[in-house]
Amino acid sequence: DSWTAKAPMPTARWGLGVGAVGNILYAVGGWGAAGDLGTVEAYDPATNTWTTKAPMPTPRASLGGLGLGVVNGIIYVVGGYRGGSAVTTVEAYDPVTNTWSTKAPMPTARYSLGVSVIHGILYAVGGFPSGGGAAIGTVEAYDPATNAWSTRPSMPTPRGILGVGVVNGILYAVGGGPGPIGAFATVEAFLP
């Protein structure tokens, strides 16, 4: 029930995505002194060390963190914000080969979305479109096996900068807001 300082990440940044593959933690993208970053760094808790990995091809970030999910040991980075616009970009990182590949673009460009994985399917939930528009409730599902997206029922409450998590195969959308200012206490559940 306490916190312990660990080796600092080599690249200071915010709006990044974080995911674990095996016992290694990966920090991907974000905003730093140089603007949008494609930086990827891996942290090994056993040795308390960081290693720089192949950079993400499309540098980007997002308020609340990049949309990131892990399916079968592959890290998928979904959407985000690049150069002032929301993007549909989806890129996959294979830690074994230290390589990136481009995947089918997400149908709806957005940033500050929530991403979770249920039974090998990646769900992109809510977020904000380009141009400072209001939050959307759009839900889209990506199947890595077919490299294809499908549209699912929208969240009843459109929002971005939300938290998403999965318990017993049910996706929970928690909190978030209608814009960068304002907050909801709303919790909604989606059963694929």
Side-chain angles (χ1 to χ4, degrees):
D1 197 23
S2 64
W3 288 90
T4 304
K6 297 295 181 181
M9 188 169 53
T11 305
R13 51 196 151 141
W14 63 278
L16 65 153
V18 175
V21 177
N23 294 321
I24 305 295
L25 192 68
Y26 292 85
V28 182
W31 275 307
D36 296 332
L37 301 174
T39 306
V40 178
E41 293 161 341
Y43 175 73
D44 184 343
T47 60
N48 191 33
T49 57
W50 287 90
T51 305
T52 300
K53 299 296 184 179
M56 183 170 52
T58 307
R60 54 202 147 123
S62 187
L63 294 172
L66 275 175
L68 186 150
V70 177
V71 179
N72 296 326
I74 305 295
I75 297 171
Y76 293 86
V77 182
V78 180
Y81 202 70
R82 179 184 169 131
S85 296
V87 297
T88 60
T89 307
V90 178
E91 292 166 331
Y93 175 72
D94 183 341
V96 173
T97 61
N98 190 34
T99 58
W100 286 89
S101 57
T102 300
K103 299 300 179 182
M106 182 171 52
T108 306
R110 51 195 154 138
Y111 65 97
S112 297
L113 65 155
V115 172
S116 250
V117 175
I118 303 173
H119 306 302
I121 304 296
L122 190 138
Y123 290 84
V125 181
F128 300 109
S130 289
I136 60 176
T138 304
V139 177
E140 293 162 334
Y142 174 75
D143 184 346
T146 61
N147 190 33
W149 286 89
S150 59
T151 300
R152 300 299 166 94
S154 291
M155 280 187 299
T157 307
R159 52 202 153 130
I161 319 176
L162 69 157
V164 294
V166 174
V167 177
N168 295 326
I170 299 171
L171 186 143
Y172 291 87
V174 181
I181 298 174
F184 296 136
T186 306
V187 177
E188 294 164 338
F190 174 68
L191 176 59

